[in-house]
Amino acid sequence: MNTHRIASARRPHLTRLLAAAVAIPLLVGAAPAPAHSAAGPARPAASTSAVLPGEDLGTVTWSQTIARGLTHHQLQLGTTTAPAAWTVQLVLPSTTEGVKDAPVGSEAVAQATADRLTAAGFDARVEHVISPETIGGGGDLGYRVRVGSVADKTGADTLLRRVRAAGFTASSWFTGWDGPAALPGVDGPVRVNVLTLDPRRFQGSVTAEHGPDLERPETTSELAADALAGVNGGFFVYGAAHGAPGDPAGVAAYDGKILSESVGDRPALVIDHRSGRTRVERLRWEGTAAAGGARLTLDGVNRVPGKIRNCGGLGDSPTDAPVHDVTCTDADELVAFTPEFGASTPEGDGLEVVLDHAGRVVEVREERGTALAAGQRSLQATGDAVAALRTLAAAPSAIRVDQRYVQEDGRTLRMTPHTQVINGGPELVRDGALHVTAARDGMVQSADPGAQYGWTHQRNPRTIAGVDAQGRLLVVTVDGRQEDSWGMSVAEAADLARRLGMVDAVNLDGGGSTAMVVGGELVNAPSGATERAVGDALVFRAR
């Protein structure tokens, strides 16, 4: 991999940062992290104002210069203004065909469920859930039902067994992980790690990197084992039922090579080493295969045909719109493959045409699944697309496969050997103002009210990336789903990004994927028992 000096970022003049429409008061002074937390030993404190580009946010428990122009800070944010406890949260039955059961529902359904619990001898309560307004989301999310309030998870699990034995669907829950109210109220401890890269001073590289191939994910620690630092990247296929595990579920380009299609026009982090420019762009993928006068539209690149994770493709079922954590289907697809996909292309019924480096047909296979040599690529067709691909392969001329990313303004994203693209969503900040696009990017779903409640409203681990007014790249991890670090809702994550000084910011993959490595050491505390293997990562290397 080549490394290049990152030159000064060029950004147009921006208006001053706007005040938040909904200010989440999570970011206030708090006690330092415990002496030995999952994130490692306690570190000496430093002055926040001297090391961070944004507002005074909380207590800095660790600060270091990793390399010229690259710094790492760990912050302890938040103060508990009311006690949090463990409880049992019910799943409410849906009363509408096609709508999933969820933790939130109508007041009538919630009250009926609570009455049944009370009749069964449980201390049930109904709570109204109001979420901060975002673009097309937030507001009144409905009502939830909970049982009991105990001091620890052991007590909640004991109560949960009784609730389930009575015929209810439920889970144990820590109330500190609840999302913020429309008018902010209770907040609590949050552990945040921030990498800040100044392209005017940094003399290394920051690249998007995946594992040995797209089908073999690796942990962020593995991807950044020999680097200055690394942070987990974009969304990816998690579980074989949804495609090829590790395959990016959205745009992904590494050293200028496009290896994954978009999910609708979801936002992405784009880094160009040659100019040093880092930006958040909404990108839509387009691909074609052409020979002679015939031209076919591609459905995707480097993914299992018929399985479209997060949806947002062409002619898919049940929708062409982005739908987060949902796998759409399409029986009639044309998908391109490169050797980066894996040891073999996906197996199955259909047709596969193998091309050499010049686009000449070297093999036509009546079943899908083959190993591609260096320089080769293939086209796989299923269903109604088989006949069209067979005709194209019979043309006397070579097959030209083209693909591009189209920006929001309709222009093609210029790709160079230095261009890195990592998918994400939703947007968090645009031009210095809060700009949370959860509805547009598929995190608000009419068929699944629990998606918005659990994914955007409740507090989770988060990974955030963006750029400030000076062109500096900031990458942030927020630990969550822990009693000593509650995590953040999407609205809180957006507010954090803005307060850190980002003028444009996007949410990357979070939850169990959130991880940051500095000097080969994992510096955050992933929410799972072990660090999760991920589809890709942002990796910072010395020259």
Side-chain angles (χ1 to χ4, degrees):
M1 176 179 301
N2 296 324
T3 58
H4 303 267
R5 180 184 178 93
I6 301 179
S8 175
R10 301 178 178 91
R11 296 188 54 83
H13 175 71
L14 296 169
T15 58
R16 65 180 181 84
L17 300 183
L18 302 178
V22 180
I24 309 297
L26 189 69
L27 312 175
V28 295
H36 292 283
S37 70
R43 292 152 172 154
S47 167
T48 309
S49 59
V51 295
L52 289 174
E55 300 177 14
D56 185 6
L57 302 175
T59 301
V60 176
T61 59
W62 173 250
S63 177
Q64 66 173 318
T65 298
I66 302 170
R68 187 173 182 267
L70 180 63
T71 58
H72 167 226
H73 310 290
Q74 187 175 93
L75 294 79
Q76 186 71 19
L77 313 179
T79 178
T80 303
T81 57
W86 283 88
T87 189
V88 171
Q89 181 161 290
L90 277 292
V91 175
L92 304 182
S94 172
T95 58
T96 304
E97 184 177 356
V99 176
K100 297 179 181 179
D101 296 347
V104 289
S106 68
E107 184 176 13
V109 169
Q111 190 58 58
T113 302
D115 291 344
R116 289 173 51 218
L117 285 160
T118 301
F122 295 102
D123 176 22
R125 63 189 182 277
V126 175
E127 299 175 349
H128 195 188
V129 181
I130 305 292
S131 189
E133 296 280 356
T134 61
I135 300 172
D140 189 340
L141 299 189
Y143 295 79
R144 65 189 173 209
V145 177
R146 289 176 169 175
V147 172
S149 179
V150 296
D152 53 35
K153 188 175 186 301
T154 300
D157 289 345
T158 299
L159 180 57
L160 174 63
R161 287 191 288 271
R162 290 179 50 217
V163 171
R164 287 177 172 174
F168 296 91
T169 302
S171 61
S172 298
W173 185 257
F174 182 63
T175 60
W177 304 335
D178 289 347
L183 296 176
V186 178
D187 58 326
V190 183
R191 188 168 48 250
V192 173
N193 284 275
V194 183
L195 286 177
T196 304
L197 182 146
D198 186 344
R200 297 163 297 186
R201 302 179 63 240
F202 185 61
Q203 297 185 5
S205 67
V206 53
T207 54
E209 300 186 20
H210 58 77
D213 52 52
L214 298 182
E215 276 198 307
R216 286 184 286 176
E218 291 188 336
T219 64
T220 302
S221 291
E222 291 170 327
L223 290 167
D226 59 348
L228 296 171
V231 183
N232 73 286
F235 300 114
F236 61 97
V237 174
Y238 192 69
H242 306 291
D247 178 27
V251 294
Y254 310 94
D255 297 333
K257 190 168 186 178
I258 296 174
L259 296 185
S260 185
E261 78 272 19
S262 63
V263 171
D265 69 344
R266 272 185 172 182
L269 188 72
V270 180
I271 300 172
D272 189 325
H273 286 175
R274 188 187 59 177
S275 68
R277 187 182 183 194
T278 299
R279 60 197 189 276
V280 175
E281 293 275 4
R282 283 195 169 272
L283 300 175
R284 186 178 294 276
W285 175 87
E286 293 179 355
T288 59
R295 181 183 301 272
L296 303 179
T297 299
L298 296 176
D299 290 277
V301 57
N302 287 328
R303 67 159 171 80
V304 177
K307 296 182 177 180
I308 306 95
R309 188 60 174 167
N310 293 333
C311 304
L314 298 172
D316 302 331
S317 179
T319 178
D320 288 349
V323 187
H324 194 66
D325 284 347
V326 170
T327 302
C328 282
T329 60
D330 188 345
D332 311 308
E333 286 209 303
L334 182 62
V335 179
F337 287 90
T338 68
E340 288 90 349
F341 174 77
S344 173
T345 58
E347 297 179 350
D349 295 335
L351 186 73
E352 184 162 13
V353 175
V354 181
L355 310 175
D356 68 9
H357 70 283
R360 295 181 292 258
V361 176
V362 298
E363 186 177 8
V364 177
R365 301 177 61 87
E366 296 300 324
E367 289 190 354
R368 296 183 294 113
T370 188
L372 296 177
Q376 289 185 332
R377 65 173 62 192
S378 74
L379 297 168
Q380 285 194 354
T382 59
D384 292 345
V386 169
L389 178 59
R390 193 184 304 279
T391 300
L392 191 71
S397 57
I399 296 176
R400 187 178 69 255
V401 179
D402 294 316
Q403 54 178 334
R404 65 175 186 146
Y405 290 142
V406 182
Q407 300 169 117
E408 200 168 5
D409 61 7
R411 294 184 298 176
T412 297
L413 177 67
R414 185 170 181 269
M415 305 295 291
T416 77
H418 317 305
T419 303
Q420 318 293 325
V421 181
I422 282 185
N423 75 77
E427 278 187 89
L428 302 175
V429 178
R430 180 183 283 198
D431 293 339
L434 295 182
H435 187 76
V436 180
T437 57
R440 177 176 179 175
D441 296 324
M443 289 83 179
V444 177
Q445 304 167 21
S446 59
D448 184 7
Q452 180 180 6
Y453 175 74
W455 206 94
T456 68
H457 175 75
Q458 289 185 327
R459 289 172 172 143
N460 291 289
R462 307 284 178 185
T463 301
I464 307 161
V467 63
D468 70 6
Q470 287 73 49
R472 290 176 291 194
L473 168 65
L474 285 83
V475 188
V476 179
T477 61
V478 177
D479 287 345
R481 297 178 191 161
Q482 300 162 48
E483 291 187 61
D484 66 345
S485 187
W486 291 2
M488 289 185 175
S489 69
V490 167
E492 288 171 325
D495 193 51
L496 172 64
R498 186 190 60 81
R499 294 190 188 198
L500 282 170
M502 298 188 212
V503 293
D504 293 306
V506 62
N507 180 77
L508 301 181
D509 193 11
S513 299
T514 290
M516 180 181 288
V517 174
V518 175
E521 176 188 359
L522 187 67
V523 297
N524 79 308
S527 61
T530 59
E531 187 184 353
R532 175 185 290 174
V534 295
D536 56 21
L538 274 175
V539 179
F540 301 76
R541 297 186 183 279
R543 181 164 59 181

